[in-house]
Amino acid sequence: MNLSVSSFDDLSARIAAVRDEHGERFPGGADGRQPVHTVYVPADRFSRSTPADFGAEALRLLNTHTPGAGSFGAAFGLDPELAGVIRERVAAKLASEPVEDVRIDFEDGYGVRPDAEEDAHVDQVVEAVAAAYQVKGLPHYWGVRVKSFADGGHERSMRTLDGFLTALRDRLGRLPGGFTITFPKVVTAEHVSLFVEYLDRLETALGLPSGILRFEVQVETAGSILDGEGRTGLRAVAGAAGGRLTAAHFGVFDYTAALGLPPHEQRLDHPACDFARHVMQVSFAGTGVRLSDGSTNAIPRNDGPDEVNATWATHAAHVRHSLRHGFYQGWDLHPAHLPSRYAAVYAFHLEGVDDVIGRVRAWHEQTAGNAGVMDEPATIKALTSRLRRAVDCGALDESVLPVP
């Protein structure tokens, strides 16, 4: 060596400082389970039994239109060898945990109402949430979507959230776990900063621990993708959230409409949406902010097999498109979306799963494995994450996972 260790001590210290700063900004992936979907329900239609009602109706549709493995596989384009297993697990999921995440909607799905009417629905929702909580009927994740700060609804937004949390505190004495606020139509990072300031004040007024109120943003405007200076806008959004941001959800219909796409092209798998999704991925990679895709607006107009199967085909195709792009969560708006959501998700996780397990096991054992692939640590991390997602959603039993 030409240099003594002491001669580059200053470089080592600066390298460590850069590493630590980067680690603070990009701590890695989010911890814990990610739901496969978020079910949006207008506030005036939400009751204590809504999640169970969605599951019962979805199971009825499943049994009516796909009573066996053959019809189920045909409806969702599945490998015949997997169709029976997937159908069995989807039916079990619909019976036990049909909704993994629910959002009680006071925004677009609810509309603009007189203050007295929305206040009354806030009280109604509080009673429904409290009743569901007391009988363990709330999904693993749940929350409310308030109105945007971007289009004049900010005062109503703050009033609704304050009224909801105040009444829920008075009713239960606590905030049930898994609670998330959805903050829609983000246009600028300044709106996010103002929302965070409001949450700070609300926590103080309610006597809640600082930072307990966390939220997700909806990426559904051109300005959230590219800001007024032509820069990517989402990094600034994450920074403005002050550590409260849990997820970013793509809003397909507002986004495609803002770009001027004709109504028949306002769909989840449009190339314009792929661009937005990729910007979201690059912007939030390594930040711990989860990503969710948007919704499919196709629903059956009646109970007929043509209507139901057409809805399933469209929705399942969109779910598969999202999964291929690395978006493991999406929106569901109707009970008919649940069979196609779980069918597509379970098929994604189970197709080729034996090879995935073999590759992970071979890497841990430092052997070549049956796949004949020399995997990198990053690939093994992704494969392990895939297996964990499969277990979390019910597609796979944890007992089959390779032990490190």
Side-chain angles (χ1 to χ4, degrees):
M1 295 177 63
N2 292 308
L3 296 175
S4 64
V5 173
S6 61
S7 69
F8 51 78
D9 276 350
D10 62 320
L11 294 179
S12 294
R14 286 155 61 191
I15 290 168
V18 170
R19 179 199 62 210
D20 293 344
E21 180 184 2
H22 184 273
E24 289 180 7
R25 295 179 62 192
F26 301 97
D31 294 328
R33 169 185 177 185
Q34 180 176 11
V36 300
H37 66 179
T38 299
V39 172
Y40 278 76
V41 181
D44 58 327
R45 301 181 196 171
F46 184 80
S47 73
R48 59 177 287 181
S49 64
T50 293
D53 293 343
F54 262 61
E57 175 60 8
L59 190 56
R60 185 190 70 80
L61 291 171
L62 181 76
N63 289 331
T64 298
H65 297 287
T66 58
S71 56
F72 181 80
F76 299 110
L78 304 178
D79 182 339
E81 294 186 3
L82 288 175
V85 171
I86 293 174
R87 190 194 185 285
E88 178 182 338
R89 294 180 186 179
V90 169
K93 180 72 170 181
L94 296 176
S96 62
E97 191 192 28
V99 176
E100 295 192 353
D101 184 22
V102 69
R103 205 64 74 246
I104 304 162
D105 188 23
F106 286 96
E107 203 230 358
D108 281 354
Y110 176 77
V112 178
R113 316 276 184 106
D115 279 340
E117 183 177 355
E118 185 158 337
D119 289 341
H121 285 140
V122 168
D123 292 339
Q124 175 184 311
V125 166
V126 167
E127 289 302 311
V129 167
Y133 172 71
Q134 289 167 338
V135 297
K136 299 183 179 179
L138 278 179
H140 190 84
Y141 297 105
W142 67 285
V144 296
R145 177 167 73 167
V146 295
K147 289 178 172 59
S148 171
F149 278 18
D151 50 13
H154 53 282
E155 291 184 356
R156 183 64 254 187
S157 176
M158 291 186 283
R159 175 172 173 160
T160 291
L161 188 56
D162 187 350
F164 173 79
L165 290 172
T166 299
L168 192 65
R169 179 202 61 184
D170 295 344
R171 180 71 168 76
L172 291 179
R174 66 184 301 274
L175 180 63
F179 177 70
T180 302
I181 305 159
T182 303
F183 189 58
K185 293 184 178 64
V186 170
V187 176
T188 71
E190 285 77 9
H191 282 149
V192 176
S193 296
L194 290 165
F195 188 58
V196 168
E197 186 174 342
Y198 169 70
L199 295 181
D200 286 335
R201 297 183 187 184
L202 189 56
E203 286 169 345
T204 300
L206 290 169
L208 293 172
S210 178
I212 195 173
L213 297 178
R214 307 191 74 194
F215 65 95
E216 59 201 15
V217 295
Q218 289 194 262
V219 179
E220 47 189 337
T221 68
S224 59
I225 298 295
L226 294 179
D227 67 14
E229 304 300 322
R231 300 167 301 194
T232 54
L234 294 177
R235 287 279 177 85
V237 166
R244 293 180 183 265
L245 190 62
T246 61
H249 291 226
F250 180 55
V252 55
F253 299 107
D254 280 273
Y255 182 76
T256 53
L259 298 187
L261 297 185
H264 66 279
E265 291 293 348
Q266 293 175 13
R267 51 186 170 81
L268 200 62
D269 55 355
H270 193 282
C273 297
D274 291 340
F275 169 76
R277 277 189 287 266
H278 297 160
V279 172
M280 290 173 67
Q281 285 174 311
V282 171
S283 298
F284 291 117
T287 65
V289 175
R290 290 175 170 147
L291 300 179
S292 173
D293 218 336
S295 61
T296 298
N297 62 359
I299 61 173
R301 290 172 293 185
N302 55 56
D303 234 13
D306 291 344
E307 284 288 321
V308 172
N309 280 285
T311 295
W312 281 347
T314 299
H315 184 245
H318 286 169
V319 174
R320 287 191 290 267
H321 187 84
S322 299
L323 292 168
R324 285 194 297 269
H325 283 259
F327 277 68
Y328 301 105
Q329 182 179 350
W331 293 8
D332 289 332
L333 308 177
H334 190 276
H337 290 164
L338 302 189
S340 41
R341 168 71 61 184
Y342 289 117
V345 169
Y346 284 17
F348 175 81
H349 287 308
L350 293 180
E351 289 172 357
V353 70
D354 290 339
D355 286 340
V356 172
I357 292 172
R359 288 169 67 178
V360 173
R361 180 176 290 117
W363 190 84
H364 286 305
E365 296 173 354
Q366 293 297 296
T367 61
N370 295 330
V373 177
M374 184 177 292
D375 286 308
E376 293 289 328
T379 302
I380 293 300
K381 184 177 180 180
L383 293 174
T384 302
S385 176
R386 170 182 166 176
L387 294 176
R388 173 45 53 189
R389 290 179 186 279
V391 170
D392 286 344
C393 72
L396 198 65
D397 189 89
E398 189 158 15
S399 63
V400 305
L401 297 185
V403 179

